Amino acid sequence: MITLVRRLAIVSVLGLAAAAVAYSHLIVSHQSTVEQANRYDLAWTGFNGRLEVTSLRERVARFAATGDAAAGDEAKLYFQIVVGRLNTWGSGEFGKFIASSPLREARFEGLVRDLTLLEPLVNQIHEDGARLQLMRDLVAISTAMDRIGGEAYSASLNEADAVRNALRQKLEVETWITGTLLTLGTLLVVFLLVQNRWLSRANATVAESAANHAFLARHDALTSLPNRLAFHDAFALEIERRAAGRVAVLAIDLDGFKAINDTLGHSAGDALLVAVGNRLTRMVGLWQDASAARFGGDEFVVVLRVEDGVSEAVEKAENLRRALAEPYRLPDGTVVIQATIGVAVATPAMPDPLQLPDDADLALSHAKSRNKGTVQVFDVTMRADLTRRRRIEADIITAIALGEIAPQYQPQVDMETGQIIGVEALARWTHPILGRIGPDEFVPIAESSGKVVELGRAILEKACAEATLLPADVKVSVNLSVAQLVRDDLVDTVSEILGRTGLAPSRLKLEVTETIVMSDTERCIATLHKLKQLGVAIALDDFGTGYSALSYLRLFDWDELKVDRSFVRSIGSDPHSLSIIQAVVGLASQLGIKVTVEGVETEEQRNLLRHVGCRIGQGYLFGAAMPLTALSARLLRTALPAPASRRAHLRLVETGSPST
Amino acid sequence: MSVILRMLFALALCLGLSDPSAAGDGKAIVLTVEGNIEGERQTFTIADLEAMGTEQVTTTTPWHDGAVTFEGVAVARLLEHVKAKGETAEVTALNAYFVDIPTEDLIRNGAVLALKRDGNYMAVTDKGPLFLIYPFDANPALRTELHYSRSVWQVSSIAIR
């Protein structure tokens, strides 16, 4: 379309140029036509000739009638005038007219010859005979001059007509050219208008896309909420503004959003985020001086002004949390999701209010690690927690290398005999500055920072090595993390460690939790099979806390179930717990699986458990996790007459460090 | 046609020589000027006119073949000579043809009252004895019907109005 109009415009311009050239040609030819029209008038010359010969005849006649000498002289003068006239006829423009017709030329020649013959008669005008002859001959001369004069008149008329025709034709051509000029001019104007419209449309498009880009740079593409960049600018402005009240920041995170994304798909996840964004916008719109932003993923942030400080901020955060917990109707179905909210409120004494979003985020992290689905207000100890967490994260690899993180061993006891039949290796960290750090604290940090594989491997290796120093009938249990289990080299690693440390595979027991197996069941089961082929025993840890424990019993040939401590804790108060344990023990014995109960803390619990058929127990009643040396001493104390294999252990006690 | 013209020319010559008004002797009165001038009426012989001083004009005309050289008195000089005080000159010819010409036109366009054509005095048969001529070649804008009509041959009198 554009090229068509451009071509049209070029043709118009060329046409205009051609029309202009034609027009100037026309003007030149006009001039020649005008000159033609201005030409010498043949008719006039012809007409005067006829008058003169008539005058000559009239003078001759008057002389004949009156004999007046003046008339005779005039007759002679007029004869000369007539001769002069023929002279004029014979030359110049009239001469050309005469010559244009052979017949006319012949007639003219005859006329001249006849006139020449009259000259002697004119000179003898006083003689009657000559005069009569003259008068007779002049009739013929007059007729011939009339004839030529008349022809000149006709020729003149024809010429005038031709000029008129030429003018009319040229006028017609001129009309056409003028029409063409007007048409082409109009076309050009139209083209200009069209192009103008295109240009302004293109301008509008450019402006629109520029505005779009500006919007996109500061807004989240999915929810159209302001993004982190826009939030920080708005937040800085809000801090600057000396408005009434105090600035508060809410950091919001959806609990289990990843699971929804994984199970329902990304489009459902995106739809949920959009719905959350809409709900946030609607809620925040009800508050004065408040705005919401999306920082990415399922992280949202709200900045608002509160009159009554923390209590008002918490109240609003609670409202928000409840609103977000309402079911979402998405195209893929209805979703319920909780939100955890961290709250930070500016205090008048705050040195750097710009830190508020970080504080809110810290409160959020704190809540996520402890109480998901709640509102948590920031307090300064959380910043200390963060510092400690970062320190732990930074030091973890060095600690593994230096042996600061090492296994301690909690005994697993035969509740009938009191004999220690195994130990569970539990990672313990004594930090040179921070002191003792519990696994509850550093294991999640190691997991989140991707260092849990190294940690697990170090504990496994150390436990295997130290187990060789224990009596051969004491087995060692080591926990496997999900990160370890999904790695391709786990079987090789275990096999290599067993080979290097010389620990008999039958003395190693690897514990996995139900949730680990859930994450990638087929692959995990395959790995567990390979491990079992090495001769290693596999225990299912935290049994009874998952969703479908019984089906997992079918999936794999477990060597041992470890009943979760939560059952044991409540057996005194809740008779169902004991029934469940009894059922599990019965089921396990039928399947040929050993059972260990965890968290045995009192004699009463031991007795109850023994009563329902539990053999092996683990818990504070039988001892907390202890270093190898303490364990060795304990083994020595409870030892019955020592079998040969325990000598190594005795040696260790004699030479090891005395710390217990 | 050239034979015919030669015949006419010969006829003109012989007529011219025999004609009493011809310019031959220079004593005959060839021009009368009257009207709004000094003395109301003045007459001129060829010699009188020549005495005013002559100039030459070479030009083509619609009545001649090829360029022709005329010699005569500038009309401006003649009007000055007679102290003409009028806007129009009524020029009359022997054949009673007359035309009104603005004196300003005669002066501005350099009209000449010619006595000679190509060095010869002009007979009546050759548009003589006086021929009012414009320099058409020097000023092509004069080549119009109007100035052709003002080029009067066989001029006999001029009246200033």
Side-chain angles (χ1 to χ4, degrees):
Chain A
M1 182 66 186
I2 289 177
T3 43
L4 179 69
V5 172
R6 285 217 178 114
R7 269 180 209 156
L8 222 61
I10 289 168
V11 167
S12 299
V13 170
L14 291 178
L16 276 175
V21 169
Y23 207 88
S24 63
H25 269 290
L26 197 68
I27 286 167
V28 169
S29 82
H30 263 331
Q31 283 167 350
S32 74
T33 311
V34 168
E35 270 161 27
Q36 197 182 356
N38 252 333
R39 254 175 42 194
Y40 172 70
D41 188 4
L42 294 173
W44 185 238
T45 302
F47 175 68
N48 276 320
R50 291 159 76 186
L51 268 185
E52 285 161 359
V53 76
T54 307
S55 294
L56 173 58
R57 285 175 66 193
E58 190 263 330
R59 296 302 190 281
V60 174
R62 195 173 349 140
F63 180 69
T66 62
D68 182 6
D73 283 347
E74 280 192 19
K76 282 181 185 170
L77 178 60
Y78 265 98
F79 183 72
Q80 289 180 60
I81 288 171
V82 171
V83 171
R85 177 62 58 185
L86 290 197
N87 244 331
T88 304
W89 281 13
S91 17
E93 294 296 319
F94 208 94
K96 284 180 202 160
F97 163 68
I98 297 281
S100 67
S101 156
L103 188 62
R104 193 182 300 136
E105 193 170 15
R107 195 176 290 132
F108 180 68
E109 284 169 7
L111 177 62
V112 171
R113 215 174 291 121
D114 291 349
L115 193 68
T116 312
L117 292 176
L118 289 186
E119 199 235 339
L121 297 177
V122 171
N123 287 337
Q124 299 160 21
I125 196 168
H126 300 282
E127 296 167 18
D128 292 346
R131 196 169 57 241
L132 276 172
Q133 181 67 39
L134 180 64
M135 286 175 73
R136 256 198 315 272
D137 289 354
L138 274 178
V139 175
I141 296 282
S142 181
T143 308
M145 284 187 76
D146 275 352
R147 177 72 193 240
I148 291 174
E151 282 177 6
Y153 180 61
S154 303
S156 184
L157 286 182
N158 284 337
E159 192 166 274
D161 194 51
V163 168
R164 260 194 304 279
N165 275 339
L167 279 176
R168 199 178 299 122
Q169 275 175 15
K170 278 165 187 168
L171 203 67
E172 216 165 280
V173 173
E174 194 178 308
T175 308
W176 273 103
I177 290 176
T178 308
T180 309
L181 279 171
L182 280 176
T183 309
L184 293 178
T186 309
L187 265 178
L188 270 182
V189 169
V190 166
F191 164 72
L192 277 178
L193 289 176
V194 167
Q195 198 184 34
N196 259 357
R197 249 182 74 192
W198 282 340
L199 279 178
S200 58
R201 215 179 290 167
N203 265 345
T205 311
V206 167
E208 196 179 312
S209 83
N212 250 339
H213 273 109
F215 183 85
L216 285 180
R218 303 181 63 80
H219 288 81
D220 168 45
L222 182 63
T223 62
S224 294
L225 287 173
N227 59 15
R228 189 186 291 267
L229 178 72
F231 171 82
H232 279 297
D233 289 354
F235 175 70
L237 268 179
E238 194 61 42
I239 292 292
E240 285 282 306
R241 218 156 64 97
R242 303 262 173 225
R246 287 149 63 182
V247 177
V249 174
L250 313 181
I252 302 158
D253 191 278
L254 304 177
D255 302 328
F257 174 72
K258 192 178 176 302
I260 285 176
N261 235 357
D262 290 347
T263 54
L264 296 181
H266 284 287
S267 63
D270 286 352
L272 175 62
L273 289 174
V274 171
V276 168
N278 289 341
R279 209 171 278 185
L280 259 183
T281 309
R282 200 171 60 244
M283 286 293 292
V284 164
L286 301 175
W287 306 338
Q288 238 179 347
D289 292 337
S291 63
R294 179 175 173 231
F295 273 20
D298 55 338
E299 259 185 279
F300 296 87
V301 176
V302 171
V303 61
L304 67 155
R305 253 177 203 281
V306 288
E307 302 288 338
D308 301 334
V310 178
S311 60
E312 186 188 340
V314 169
E315 190 191 320
K316 284 183 168 167
E318 280 291 350
N319 287 342
L320 207 56
R321 189 189 61 74
R322 275 196 295 276
L324 293 178
E326 293 291 319
Y328 294 89
R329 297 191 201 296
L330 304 181
D332 296 297
T334 301
V335 171
V336 177
I337 195 162
Q338 302 286 322
T340 305
I341 301 179
V343 180
V345 182
T347 59
M350 202 164 188
D352 181 13
L354 290 176
Q355 210 184 311
L356 272 185
D358 288 345
D359 290 351
D361 195 46
L362 219 51
L364 174 65
S365 304
H366 193 86
K368 294 233 29 143
S369 62
R370 289 165 180 79
N371 305 303
K372 284 184 180 173
T374 61
V375 171
Q376 174 72 54
V377 180
F378 171 80
D379 75 70
V380 282
T381 61
M382 287 175 188
R383 205 171 294 140
D385 285 354
L386 181 71
T387 312
R388 179 181 166 90
R389 188 189 154 91
R390 288 194 181 137
R391 181 74 182 260
I392 289 170
E393 198 177 310
D395 290 352
I396 211 160
I397 288 292
T398 330
I400 294 168
L402 293 177
E404 284 173 19
I405 300 178
Q408 292 194 3
Y409 303 94
Q410 184 170 40
Q412 294 172 339
V413 175
D414 183 328
M415 293 192 285
E416 292 292 327
T417 63
Q419 188 189 348
I420 295 174
I421 56 122
V423 291
E424 181 178 357
L426 296 165
R428 290 291 181 269
W429 185 357
T430 308
H431 193 278
I433 296 160
L434 301 176
R436 285 190 182 175
I437 303 171
D440 291 352
E441 191 175 3
F442 72 79
V443 170
I445 294 173
E447 272 170 356
S448 68
S449 60
K451 287 157 187 165
V452 76
V453 174
E454 285 93 326
L455 178 65
R457 184 196 158 96
I459 297 298
L460 178 65
E461 183 155 10
K462 192 82 182 279
C464 287
E466 293 187 337
T468 58
L469 304 175
L470 297 175
D473 56 349
V474 176
K475 292 188 172 185
V476 64
S477 297
V478 180
N479 292 291
L480 281 183
S481 70
V482 65
Q484 285 172 289
L485 196 58
V486 298
R487 278 177 71 114
D488 293 333
D489 61 352
L490 177 66
V491 179
D492 293 339
T493 304
V494 171
S495 158
E496 185 240 331
I497 287 173
L498 287 174
R500 187 134 44 84
T501 59
L503 183 71
S506 60
R507 290 184 60 196
L508 179 62
K509 190 165 28 174
L510 294 173
E511 296 186 3
V512 295
T513 61
E514 199 178 75
T515 48
I516 291 176
V517 180
M518 271 170 70
S519 62
D520 188 355
T521 310
E522 257 178 56
R523 188 167 160 183
C524 288
I525 297 293
T527 307
L528 292 177
H529 273 298
K530 285 179 195 158
L531 288 170
K532 202 162 171 174
Q533 277 164 13
L534 292 177
V536 175
I538 307 293
L540 184 57
D541 204 1
D542 298 340
F543 185 76
T545 56
Y547 297 103
S548 48
L550 293 179
S551 74
Y552 285 105
L553 291 181
R554 213 157 42 93
L555 271 179
F556 186 71
D557 183 16
W558 304 98
D559 295 291
E560 185 179 321
L561 295 182
K562 297 191 77 177
V563 176
D564 191 71
R565 67 186 68 231
S566 58
F567 291 98
V568 178
R569 198 182 299 137
S570 57
I571 51 173
S573 52
D574 178 11
H576 292 302
S577 291
L578 193 62
S579 304
I580 289 168
I581 293 172
Q582 186 174 15
V584 169
V585 170
L587 183 67
S589 74
Q590 285 201 359
L591 293 170
I593 306 173
K594 289 178 186 164
V595 172
T596 301
V597 285
E598 288 187 281
V600 182
E601 291 176 4
T602 64
E603 282 292 339
E604 188 200 356
Q605 285 171 346
R606 179 172 66 171
N607 291 335
L608 283 170
L609 289 167
R610 273 175 64 193
H611 186 71
V612 296
C614 291
R615 280 294 297 267
I616 305 159
Q618 185 180 340
Y620 290 136
L621 183 63
F622 311 115
M626 58 194 83
L628 182 71
T629 46
L631 178 68
S632 297
R634 169 84 179 274
L635 283 170
L636 197 60
R637 269 205 308 279
T638 60
L640 296 171
S645 63
R646 291 208 174 175
R647 277 179 206 132
H649 167 59
L650 294 176
R651 276 200 306 279
L652 180 80
V653 172
E654 284 155 8
T655 58
S657 79
S659 69
T660 38
Chain B
M1 193 125 115
S2 55
V3 177
I4 298 300
L5 287 180
R6 237 177 283 136
M7 274 167 67
L8 275 173
F9 188 64
L11 179 63
L13 272 181
C14 82
L15 281 174
L17 289 173
S18 61
D19 183 31
S21 69
D25 54 6
K27 284 170 189 158
I29 288 168
V30 292
L31 178 68
T32 306
V33 181
E34 56 187 6
N36 202 356
I37 61 166
E38 191 179 52
E40 285 188 16
R41 183 186 164 86
Q42 294 185 30
T43 56
F44 298 91
T45 62
I46 292 289
D48 294 337
L49 292 172
E50 282 180 333
M52 286 181 211
T54 60
E55 52 191 73
Q56 288 193 344
V57 171
T58 301
T59 184
T60 54
T61 79
W63 313 283
H64 297 90
D65 295 324
V68 189
T69 299
F70 295 98
E71 188 182 338
V73 183
V75 176
R77 183 169 295 183
L78 174 65
L79 294 178
E80 204 178 304
H81 182 86
V82 299
K83 297 192 167 59
K85 291 190 183 74
E87 288 179 358
T88 308
E90 188 186 295
V91 182
T92 307
L94 291 174
N95 65 351
Y97 174 82
F98 80 89
V99 66
D100 285 345
I101 308 172
T103 51
E104 186 267 339
D105 178 76
L106 291 165
I107 296 164
R108 178 161 50 82
N109 290 317
V112 168
L113 197 59
L115 311 165
K116 288 182 180 172
R117 178 176 71 84
D118 292 332
N120 301 311
Y121 290 109
M122 293 180 288
V124 172
T125 54
D126 187 25
K127 303 182 175 62
L130 300 174
F131 186 2
L132 182 58
I133 192 82
Y134 286 86
F136 297 110
D137 284 4
N139 184 4
L142 295 172
R143 288 181 188 149
T144 67
E145 199 71 6
L146 183 66
H147 284 99
Y148 293 153
S149 76
R150 289 174 180 175
S151 298
V152 183
W153 60 73
Q154 296 162 348
V155 172
S156 60
S157 67
I158 299 172
I160 304 299
R161 310 276 180 227

